[in-house]
Amino acid sequence: MHKVTIHPQWSIIGPDGSALAQRLVDLLVGVHEHGSLLAACQAANVSYRHAWQLIRQGDQLMGAPLLVKSRGKGSVLTPLGGKLVWADRRIRARLSPVLDSLASELEAEIEKVSSPSAPLLRIHANHGFAVEALRSRLLGSRVPHEFRYCGSVEAVAALNNQVCELAGFAVPIGEFEPAVVDHYRPWLTARAYRLIHVAVRSQGLMVAPGNPKKIYEPRDLARPGVRFINRQPGSGTRLLLDLLLQQAKVAPARISGFEQCEYTHAAVAAFVASGMADAAYGVETPARQFKLDFIPSHRERYFLLCDERSLERDDVQELLTILRGPVFQAAVDGLPGYQAADAGRVLGLAEAFQSFAPAPRGRARAKG
């Protein structure tokens, strides 16, 4: 199957019409990630001399330095250079799900024309890290497929409406499992469905390095001076956070920024890393990628839901082979906060969730 890639590109135009070079933005991001301009040049395959030429041009365009030499530290980003780095990371974090969905749709349209007889495996799921690892493996296989990124409720509703074959959603392990299962129950009981286990992941609070606001639990989000960035309604993460706040008896209206939403874990992490919020709630992987502190809260299982008849399809069987294989599992195990144990295991709803199990029969009353 052909792979379509779409990357976000942005720029700043000066009064004279000159534009900030994307190559310069990439270099500034490289300095942030690698710690020095020399290392950034090596990673980007750019000469050190040309890099400084780009930086000087950027300085002139912006009217202030983007990078300065510091004794004993080499070249370091200025506050303005740092803002450009975080602008780039926020843009990529916010737009990647949209662009990846569009890329997958284009791949599917190309596949329909080039291989019109091949059935298309349609997968609706959130833009998560294990899901991305699965998509990467599917692209390397011969399985024609289409990914559409959406919230968990939207995904299971799409499956119920027969718009897709597989729908991704997460269920926390432990005390909140019954409430989350009940939330999805209207869709789970519509047909004879089966669950395909994908991964276990950690959810928790993302905070600035060193946790300067001393945010350790959901009730701390309501303190004065704490700014929060939320996930959108309909996402599994938002549902879990709502349950945590109910348990802590914290009214959402008390949390500054509660109604401000982003659509991915990476986007909320980028928001905190840029200094525009003090905390977010999400999975551990982007917290580590953005060098944030992470306070774990709950572990949850991520599943793909499907009609049990779909398990007979060749493409679903190939997907199960990928999930059970060492390459996919090694990729997921390499993600901070993720475990791939049991990936590819097929479960019935009653087997996976105690609240779906048949109620035990009571003992018959003894006759007197």
Side-chain angles (χ1 to χ4, degrees):
M1 188 169 179
H2 297 86
K3 180 179 180 180
V4 175
T5 58
I6 309 173
H7 299 292
Q9 186 170 340
W10 65 283
S11 187
I12 298 175
I13 309 298
D16 61 352
S18 59
L20 190 72
Q22 181 63 44
R23 200 71 182 268
L24 170 58
V25 176
D26 294 340
L27 277 172
L28 296 177
V29 171
V31 172
H32 174 78
E33 292 179 347
H34 300 290
S36 71
L37 179 60
L38 180 60
C41 290
Q42 292 171 343
N45 196 26
V46 175
S47 73
Y48 192 73
R49 181 178 179 181
H50 181 56
W52 272 112
Q53 183 180 358
L54 288 172
I55 292 165
R56 297 306 179 210
Q57 291 172 356
D59 292 348
Q60 184 176 1
L61 172 68
M62 300 302 297
L66 304 174
L67 195 74
V68 295
K69 292 183 178 180
S70 176
R71 182 175 296 178
K73 295 183 179 179
S75 301
V76 296
L77 293 169
T78 65
L80 177 58
K83 286 295 181 184
L84 295 182
V85 168
W86 291 117
D88 183 77
R89 300 191 78 170
R90 281 198 63 212
I91 288 168
R92 293 178 184 277
R94 177 176 285 185
L95 295 183
S96 287
V98 177
L99 298 180
D100 288 348
S101 283
L102 179 57
S104 186
E105 290 174 28
L106 294 175
E107 290 164 358
E109 292 303 316
I110 293 170
E111 189 67 22
K112 289 174 186 176
V113 176
S114 59
S115 303
S117 61
L120 198 65
L121 181 62
R122 298 167 300 175
I123 304 170
H124 288 206
N126 70 311
H127 194 267
F129 295 90
V131 170
E132 279 302 286
L134 175 59
R135 179 171 181 256
S136 176
R137 292 293 300 148
L138 281 173
L139 283 169
S141 72
R142 297 182 178 180
V143 177
H145 63 277
E146 178 183 3
F147 267 91
R148 186 156 297 182
Y149 296 108
C150 59
S152 300
V153 169
E154 187 179 345
V156 295
L159 178 64
N160 191 43
N161 293 328
Q162 300 182 320
V163 179
C164 64
E165 283 72 49
L166 297 167
F169 72 113
V171 177
I173 298 170
E175 58 184 329
F176 293 127
E177 178 187 293
V180 171
V181 170
D182 282 345
H183 181 77
Y184 293 116
R185 191 180 293 270
W187 298 282
L188 298 180
T189 55
R191 292 185 180 83
Y193 287 132
R194 304 280 278 180
L195 295 161
I196 299 172
H197 183 90
V198 177
V200 174
R201 63 188 192 181
S202 294
Q203 292 263 28
L205 289 165
M206 308 178 194
V207 297
N211 197 5
K213 293 291 182 78
K214 307 302 178 187
I215 301 166
Y216 298 106
E217 54 186 352
R219 70 174 71 251
D220 294 333
L221 300 175
R223 289 207 316 257
V226 173
R227 300 163 301 160
F228 184 66
I229 180 67
N230 210 347
R231 287 293 307 280
Q232 81 280 13
S235 66
T237 298
R238 175 66 171 264
L239 174 59
L240 177 55
L241 177 64
D242 288 346
L243 291 169
L244 284 165
L245 293 176
Q246 289 174 21
Q247 183 187 63
K249 295 182 172 57
V250 175
R254 294 174 53 199
I255 300 174
S256 175
F258 188 84
E259 298 303 325
Q260 187 172 5
C261 302
E262 292 283 353
Y263 286 81
T264 67
H265 296 283
V268 295
F271 212 91
V272 175
S274 68
M276 298 178 68
D278 301 305
Y281 191 81
V283 297
E284 183 175 354
T285 303
R288 302 305 181 194
Q289 290 177 346
F290 283 90
K291 301 179 182 178
L292 301 173
D293 283 4
F294 181 78
I295 296 96
S297 165
H298 282 75
R299 296 170 71 239
E300 58 185 13
R301 294 180 291 172
Y302 193 88
F303 298 104
L304 292 173
L305 183 70
C306 69
D307 189 306
E308 66 178 3
R309 293 171 297 181
S310 297
L311 293 171
E312 300 172 3
R313 292 175 49 140
D314 291 341
D315 48 11
V316 175
Q317 286 297 314
E318 179 64 24
L319 179 140
L320 291 174
T321 299
I322 289 172
L323 289 173
R324 295 164 181 165
V327 176
F328 171 80
Q329 295 197 10
V332 171
D333 285 335
L335 298 169
Y338 276 81
Q339 294 86 40
D342 289 333
R345 182 184 177 191
V346 178
L347 302 162
L349 293 171
E351 186 181 1
F353 309 129
Q354 188 174 359
S355 58
F356 263 86
R361 293 183 178 180
R363 292 184 179 180
R365 297 179 90 184
K367 295 182 179 180

